[in-house]
Amino acid sequence: MAMLSLMGCYSNNCPLENTVTCNYGFYDSQGTAITYADAITVSTLKPGYKTVYTYRKLGNPTVTTEEPDSTLIEQGYTETKTQQRNDTVLVNKLTNASSMKVPMSYFHDSDTLIFSYDRITLKDTIKIQHISYPNVELPECGTYRFHTLQSVTTTEAAIDHIEISEPKVNYDGATNIKIYFNGVVE
């Protein structure tokens, strides 16, 4: 009898690929799909700031923590307390890639992404306006947050231009945003 009740809650209809990410494709300025060789790190700006403690001592490596450390003070380190943006790294040193997947904010209507490059000192900022909404296919599968892209803008350090190619961000894997790089190193 217990076996039958367990079977009633099981569903083969839940999607296996159920990670919702915004999918970016890489292209040269002429529109040809490329593999971008430089290392890209993508960070996002979270609201607010965090306190960071930096400890320095001549002849020793600098130590940075998010909590004060009295043992370092006792060892002769000097402490500097600073406020920093509350950034989060989403993609760390992606190299030789033709695409990437980045999660989107569930509860904000815009995301700001900072692209840092190893070979270029300037950074690019991408701003994405979107609508986020819950999606339930079957109650036993759970709720997922889907998004509809409304607009995207960018600075032009390494990016020539950017465009939305598929506004619906779900778990189907389509390329949602095309990034056209200038001066691409392949």
Side-chain angles (χ1 to χ4, degrees):
M1 187 71 149
M3 179 97 154
L4 289 176
S5 65
L6 286 175
M7 289 177 61
C9 293
Y10 180 77
S11 174
N12 286 330
N13 297 326
C14 296
L16 295 175
E17 275 301 315
N18 56 13
T19 303
V20 179
T21 56
C22 188
N23 300 307
Y24 294 78
F26 299 160
Y27 301 84
D28 67 13
S29 60
Q30 305 304 310
T32 305
I34 54 130
T35 299
Y36 196 76
D38 195 3
I40 301 172
T41 298
V42 180
S43 303
T44 187
L45 301 177
K46 290 171 45 179
Y49 290 87
K50 63 182 175 183
T51 302
V52 176
Y53 298 88
T54 305
Y55 298 92
R56 292 183 174 86
K57 181 178 176 183
L58 190 61
N60 292 289
T62 301
V63 178
T64 304
T65 65
E66 292 185 16
E67 298 292 327
D69 190 340
S70 60
T71 59
L72 291 173
I73 299 285
E74 292 168 3
Q75 295 173 22
Y77 283 81
T78 58
E79 176 186 85
T80 306
K81 180 179 171 182
T82 57
Q83 295 287 319
Q84 291 183 353
R85 286 189 330 212
N86 202 11
D87 297 351
T88 297
V89 174
L90 300 174
V91 177
N92 192 22
K93 301 216 179 262
L94 178 70
T95 56
N96 296 318
S98 58
S99 65
M100 70 177 181
K101 298 178 178 191
V102 176
M104 298 186 75
S105 173
Y106 285 1
F107 303 109
H108 299 285
D109 60 0
S110 67
D111 292 338
T112 301
L113 303 177
I114 309 296
F115 278 50
S116 303
Y117 310 96
D118 276 359
R119 297 182 189 164
I120 301 170
T121 56
L122 296 175
K123 298 178 182 185
D124 278 310
T125 302
I126 296 176
K127 293 186 180 182
I128 304 159
Q129 295 292 123
H130 60 88
I131 298 169
S132 178
Y133 56 92
N135 179 65
V136 179
E137 292 188 21
L138 294 171
E140 59 268 23
C141 296
T143 303
Y144 302 98
R145 299 292 291 188
F146 285 1
H147 314 276
T148 301
L149 302 177
Q150 296 179 305
S151 67
V152 61
T153 59
T154 186
T155 57
E156 298 175 346
I159 298 175
D160 183 70
H161 63 285
I162 193 167
E163 69 182 28
I164 296 171
S165 58
E166 172 53 59
K168 294 181 183 186
V169 179
N170 49 35
Y171 41 69
D172 72 359
T175 299
N176 302 107
I177 296 177
K178 292 182 176 181
I179 298 176
Y180 298 90
F181 288 97
N182 56 35
V184 174
V185 179
E186 292 189 57

PDB file of all heavy atoms in Angstrom, residues 163-183:
ATOM      1  N   GLU A 163      23.055  42.335 -28.870  1.00  0.00           N
ATOM      2  CA  GLU A 163      21.647  42.301 -29.239  1.00  0.00           C
ATOM      3  C   GLU A 163      20.946  41.100 -28.608  1.00  0.00           C
ATOM      4  O   GLU A 163      21.580  40.088 -28.299  1.00  0.00           O
ATOM      5  CB  GLU A 163      21.464  42.262 -30.754  1.00  0.00           C
ATOM      6  CG  GLU A 163      21.904  40.984 -31.414  1.00  0.00           C
ATOM      7  CD  GLU A 163      21.749  40.997 -32.926  1.00  0.00           C
ATOM      8  OE1 GLU A 163      21.807  42.078 -33.535  1.00  0.00           O
ATOM      9  OE2 GLU A 163      21.587  39.908 -33.495  1.00  0.00           O
ATOM     10  N   ILE A 164      19.633  41.246 -28.434  1.00  0.00           N
ATOM     11  CA  ILE A 164      18.807  40.147 -27.948  1.00  0.00           C
ATOM     12  C   ILE A 164      18.417  39.304 -29.153  1.00  0.00           C
ATOM     13  O   ILE A 164      17.870  39.816 -30.128  1.00  0.00           O
ATOM     14  CB  ILE A 164      17.547  40.682 -27.247  1.00  0.00           C
ATOM     15  CG1 ILE A 164      17.933  41.485 -26.002  1.00  0.00           C
ATOM     16  CG2 ILE A 164      16.595  39.536 -26.891  1.00  0.00           C
ATOM     17  CD1 ILE A 164      16.774  42.230 -25.355  1.00  0.00           C
ATOM     18  N   SER A 165      18.705  38.003 -29.115  1.00  0.00           N
ATOM     19  CA  SER A 165      18.323  37.115 -30.217  1.00  0.00           C
ATOM     20  C   SER A 165      17.115  36.258 -29.869  1.00  0.00           C
ATOM     21  O   SER A 165      16.351  35.878 -30.748  1.00  0.00           O
ATOM     22  CB  SER A 165      19.500  36.222 -30.628  1.00  0.00           C
ATOM     23  OG  SER A 165      19.936  35.457 -29.530  1.00  0.00           O
ATOM     24  N   GLU A 166      16.914  35.941 -28.605  1.00  0.00           N
ATOM     25  CA  GLU A 166      15.742  35.199 -28.127  1.00  0.00           C
ATOM     26  C   GLU A 166      15.355  35.778 -26.770  1.00  0.00           C
ATOM     27  O   GLU A 166      16.052  35.558 -25.782  1.00  0.00           O
ATOM     28  CB  GLU A 166      16.044  33.707 -28.005  1.00  0.00           C
ATOM     29  CG  GLU A 166      14.963  32.886 -27.341  1.00  0.00           C
ATOM     30  CD  GLU A 166      13.578  33.067 -27.953  1.00  0.00           C
ATOM     31  OE1 GLU A 166      13.417  32.807 -29.158  1.00  0.00           O
ATOM     32  OE2 GLU A 166      12.657  33.486 -27.223  1.00  0.00           O
ATOM     33  N   PRO A 167      14.249  36.530 -26.696  1.00  0.00           N
ATOM     34  CA  PRO A 167      13.900  37.213 -25.445  1.00  0.00           C
ATOM     35  C   PRO A 167      13.429  36.291 -24.319  1.00  0.00           C
ATOM     36  O   PRO A 167      13.488  36.665 -23.160  1.00  0.00           O
ATOM     37  CB  PRO A 167      12.802  38.188 -25.854  1.00  0.00           C
ATOM     38  CG  PRO A 167      12.286  37.705 -27.149  1.00  0.00           C
ATOM     39  CD  PRO A 167      13.368  36.901 -27.795  1.00  0.00           C
ATOM     40  N   LYS A 168      12.983  35.084 -24.639  1.00  0.00           N
ATOM     41  CA  LYS A 168      12.477  34.182 -23.598  1.00  0.00           C
ATOM     42  C   LYS A 168      13.617  33.369 -23.005  1.00  0.00           C
ATOM     43  O   LYS A 168      14.215  32.539 -23.673  1.00  0.00           O
ATOM     44  CB  LYS A 168      11.406  33.271 -24.169  1.00  0.00           C
ATOM     45  CG  LYS A 168      10.178  34.028 -24.583  1.00  0.00           C
ATOM     46  CD  LYS A 168       9.106  33.141 -25.113  1.00  0.00           C
ATOM     47  CE  LYS A 168       7.948  34.039 -25.553  1.00  0.00           C
ATOM     48  NZ  LYS A 168       6.813  33.309 -25.962  1.00  0.00           N
ATOM     49  N   VAL A 169      13.900  33.614 -21.725  1.00  0.00           N
ATOM     50  CA  VAL A 169      14.955  32.893 -21.017  1.00  0.00           C
ATOM     51  C   VAL A 169      14.286  31.797 -20.193  1.00  0.00           C
ATOM     52  O   VAL A 169      13.564  32.071 -19.247  1.00  0.00           O
ATOM     53  CB  VAL A 169      15.767  33.840 -20.098  1.00  0.00           C
ATOM     54  CG1 VAL A 169      16.834  33.069 -19.355  1.00  0.00           C
ATOM     55  CG2 VAL A 169      16.370  34.972 -20.901  1.00  0.00           C
ATOM     56  N   ASN A 170      14.517  30.571 -20.601  1.00  0.00           N
ATOM     57  CA  ASN A 170      13.990  29.409 -19.904  1.00  0.00           C
ATOM     58  C   ASN A 170      15.042  28.315 -19.963  1.00  0.00           C
ATOM     59  O   ASN A 170      16.207  28.613 -20.138  1.00  0.00           O
ATOM     60  CB  ASN A 170      12.655  28.973 -20.515  1.00  0.00           C
ATOM     61  CG  ASN A 170      12.710  28.860 -22.022  1.00  0.00           C
ATOM     62  OD1 ASN A 170      13.733  28.472 -22.573  1.00  0.00           O
ATOM     63  ND2 ASN A 170      11.630  29.207 -22.698  1.00  0.00           N
ATOM     64  N   TYR A 171      14.671  27.063 -19.846  1.00  0.00           N
ATOM     65  CA  TYR A 171      15.689  26.023 -19.868  1.00  0.00           C
ATOM     66  C   TYR A 171      15.771  25.291 -21.198  1.00  0.00           C
ATOM     67  O   TYR A 171      16.225  24.167 -21.264  1.00  0.00           O
ATOM     68  CB  TYR A 171      15.538  25.027 -18.719  1.00  0.00           C
ATOM     69  CG  TYR A 171      14.137  24.596 -18.390  1.00  0.00           C
ATOM     70  CD1 TYR A 171      13.389  23.801 -19.230  1.00  0.00           C
ATOM     71  CD2 TYR A 171      13.581  24.998 -17.183  1.00  0.00           C
ATOM     72  CE1 TYR A 171      12.124  23.416 -18.898  1.00  0.00           C
ATOM     73  CE2 TYR A 171      12.308  24.614 -16.851  1.00  0.00           C
ATOM     74  CZ  TYR A 171      11.580  23.821 -17.698  1.00  0.00           C
ATOM     75  OH  TYR A 171      10.317  23.443 -17.360  1.00  0.00           O
ATOM     76  N   ASP A 172      15.382  25.958 -22.298  1.00  0.00           N
ATOM     77  CA  ASP A 172      15.484  25.295 -23.605  1.00  0.00           C
ATOM     78  C   ASP A 172      16.863  25.404 -24.248  1.00  0.00           C
ATOM     79  O   ASP A 172      17.156  24.705 -25.197  1.00  0.00           O
ATOM     80  CB  ASP A 172      14.401  25.787 -24.558  1.00  0.00           C
ATOM     81  CG  ASP A 172      14.626  27.197 -25.062  1.00  0.00           C
ATOM     82  OD1 ASP A 172      15.617  27.823 -24.658  1.00  0.00           O
ATOM     83  OD2 ASP A 172      13.803  27.678 -25.870  1.00  0.00           O
ATOM     84  N   GLY A 173      17.747  26.282 -23.738  1.00  0.00           N
ATOM     85  CA  GLY A 173      19.127  26.348 -24.220  1.00  0.00           C
ATOM     86  C   GLY A 173      19.370  27.253 -25.412  1.00  0.00           C
ATOM     87  O   GLY A 173      20.474  27.294 -25.934  1.00  0.00           O
ATOM     88  N   ALA A 174      18.367  27.998 -25.871  1.00  0.00           N
ATOM     89  CA  ALA A 174      18.552  28.902 -27.016  1.00  0.00           C
ATOM     90  C   ALA A 174      19.491  30.047 -26.637  1.00  0.00           C
ATOM     91  O   ALA A 174      19.561  30.455 -25.477  1.00  0.00           O
ATOM     92  CB  ALA A 174      17.213  29.464 -27.465  1.00  0.00           C
ATOM     93  N   THR A 175      20.220  30.577 -27.623  1.00  0.00           N
ATOM     94  CA  THR A 175      21.063  31.749 -27.396  1.00  0.00           C
ATOM     95  C   THR A 175      20.152  32.957 -27.223  1.00  0.00           C
ATOM     96  O   THR A 175      19.412  33.311 -28.127  1.00  0.00           O
ATOM     97  CB  THR A 175      22.028  31.969 -28.576  1.00  0.00           C
ATOM     98  OG1 THR A 175      22.868  30.832 -28.688  1.00  0.00           O
ATOM     99  CG2 THR A 175      22.868  33.213 -28.377  1.00  0.00           C
ATOM    100  N   ASN A 176      20.216  33.573 -26.049  1.00  0.00           N
ATOM    101  CA  ASN A 176      19.360  34.714 -25.743  1.00  0.00           C
ATOM    102  C   ASN A 176      19.986  36.038 -26.149  1.00  0.00           C
ATOM    103  O   ASN A 176      19.289  36.941 -26.618  1.00  0.00           O
ATOM    104  CB  ASN A 176      19.041  34.758 -24.249  1.00  0.00           C
ATOM    105  CG  ASN A 176      18.375  33.489 -23.776  1.00  0.00           C
ATOM    106  OD1 ASN A 176      18.994  32.685 -23.090  1.00  0.00           O
ATOM    107  ND2 ASN A 176      17.142  33.269 -24.164  1.00  0.00           N
ATOM    108  N   ILE A 177      21.304  36.173 -25.952  1.00  0.00           N
ATOM    109  CA  ILE A 177      21.994  37.424 -26.248  1.00  0.00           C
ATOM    110  C   ILE A 177      23.229  37.120 -27.073  1.00  0.00           C
ATOM    111  O   ILE A 177      23.994  36.205 -26.760  1.00  0.00           O
ATOM    112  CB  ILE A 177      22.384  38.160 -24.949  1.00  0.00           C
ATOM    113  CG1 ILE A 177      21.115  38.569 -24.181  1.00  0.00           C
ATOM    114  CG2 ILE A 177      23.263  39.366 -25.234  1.00  0.00           C
ATOM    115  CD1 ILE A 177      21.371  39.239 -22.850  1.00  0.00           C
ATOM    116  N   LYS A 178      23.413  37.905 -28.128  1.00  0.00           N
ATOM    117  CA  LYS A 178      24.610  37.785 -28.961  1.00  0.00           C
ATOM    118  C   LYS A 178      25.537  38.946 -28.637  1.00  0.00           C
ATOM    119  O   LYS A 178      25.124  40.103 -28.669  1.00  0.00           O
ATOM    120  CB  LYS A 178      24.248  37.816 -30.449  1.00  0.00           C
ATOM    121  CG  LYS A 178      23.470  36.593 -30.897  1.00  0.00           C
ATOM    122  CD  LYS A 178      23.180  36.651 -32.386  1.00  0.00           C
ATOM    123  CE  LYS A 178      22.489  35.380 -32.858  1.00  0.00           C
ATOM    124  NZ  LYS A 178      22.227  35.407 -34.302  1.00  0.00           N
ATOM    125  N   ILE A 179      26.792  38.607 -28.310  1.00  0.00           N
ATOM    126  CA  ILE A 179      27.820  39.612 -28.042  1.00  0.00           C
ATOM    127  C   ILE A 179      28.758  39.638 -29.238  1.00  0.00           C
ATOM    128  O   ILE A 179      29.336  38.614 -29.604  1.00  0.00           O
ATOM    129  CB  ILE A 179      28.611  39.286 -26.766  1.00  0.00           C
ATOM    130  CG1 ILE A 179      27.689  39.288 -25.552  1.00  0.00           C
ATOM    131  CG2 ILE A 179      29.753  40.290 -26.576  1.00  0.00           C
ATOM    132  CD1 ILE A 179      28.363  38.888 -24.258  1.00  0.00           C
ATOM    133  N   TYR A 180      28.904  40.818 -29.841  1.00  0.00           N
ATOM    134  CA  TYR A 180      29.778  41.007 -30.993  1.00  0.00           C
ATOM    135  C   TYR A 180      31.037  41.723 -30.502  1.00  0.00           C
ATOM    136  O   TYR A 180      30.981  42.883 -30.107  1.00  0.00           O
ATOM    137  CB  TYR A 180      29.080  41.833 -32.063  1.00  0.00           C
ATOM    138  CG  TYR A 180      27.837  41.147 -32.594  1.00  0.00           C
ATOM    139  CD1 TYR A 180      26.599  41.357 -32.004  1.00  0.00           C
ATOM    140  CD2 TYR A 180      27.903  40.290 -33.682  1.00  0.00           C
ATOM    141  CE1 TYR A 180      25.454  40.743 -32.470  1.00  0.00           C
ATOM    142  CE2 TYR A 180      26.765  39.663 -34.156  1.00  0.00           C
ATOM    143  CZ  TYR A 180      25.550  39.881 -33.549  1.00  0.00           C
ATOM    144  OH  TYR A 180      24.423  39.260 -34.021  1.00  0.00           O
ATOM    145  N   PHE A 181      32.160  41.011 -30.508  1.00  0.00           N
ATOM    146  CA  PHE A 181      33.417  41.570 -30.021  1.00  0.00           C
ATOM    147  C   PHE A 181      34.150  42.296 -31.144  1.00  0.00           C
ATOM    148  O   PHE A 181      34.082  41.899 -32.305  1.00  0.00           O
ATOM    149  CB  PHE A 181      34.329  40.453 -29.467  1.00  0.00           C
ATOM    150  CG  PHE A 181      33.859  39.890 -28.169  1.00  0.00           C
ATOM    151  CD1 PHE A 181      33.115  38.713 -28.130  1.00  0.00           C
ATOM    152  CD2 PHE A 181      34.146  40.533 -26.973  1.00  0.00           C
ATOM    153  CE1 PHE A 181      32.689  38.196 -26.920  1.00  0.00           C
ATOM    154  CE2 PHE A 181      33.724  40.010 -25.757  1.00  0.00           C
ATOM    155  CZ  PHE A 181      32.984  38.842 -25.746  1.00  0.00           C
ATOM    156  N   ASN A 182      34.898  43.355 -30.793  1.00  0.00           N
ATOM    157  CA  ASN A 182      35.773  44.018 -31.762  1.00  0.00           C
ATOM    158  C   ASN A 182      37.206  43.597 -31.455  1.00  0.00           C
ATOM    159  O   ASN A 182      37.543  43.310 -30.318  1.00  0.00           O
ATOM    160  CB  ASN A 182      35.619  45.543 -31.697  1.00  0.00           C
ATOM    161  CG  ASN A 182      35.869  46.106 -30.314  1.00  0.00           C
ATOM    162  OD1 ASN A 182      36.697  45.632 -29.572  1.00  0.00           O
ATOM    163  ND2 ASN A 182      35.129  47.134 -29.944  1.00  0.00           N
ATOM    164  N   GLY A 183      38.051  43.504 -32.436  1.00  0.00           N
ATOM    165  CA  GLY A 183      39.449  43.143 -32.225  1.00  0.00           C
ATOM    166  C   GLY A 183      39.620  41.793 -31.545  1.00  0.00           C
ATOM    167  O   GLY A 183      40.410  41.648 -30.646  1.00  0.00           O
TER     168      GLY A 183
END
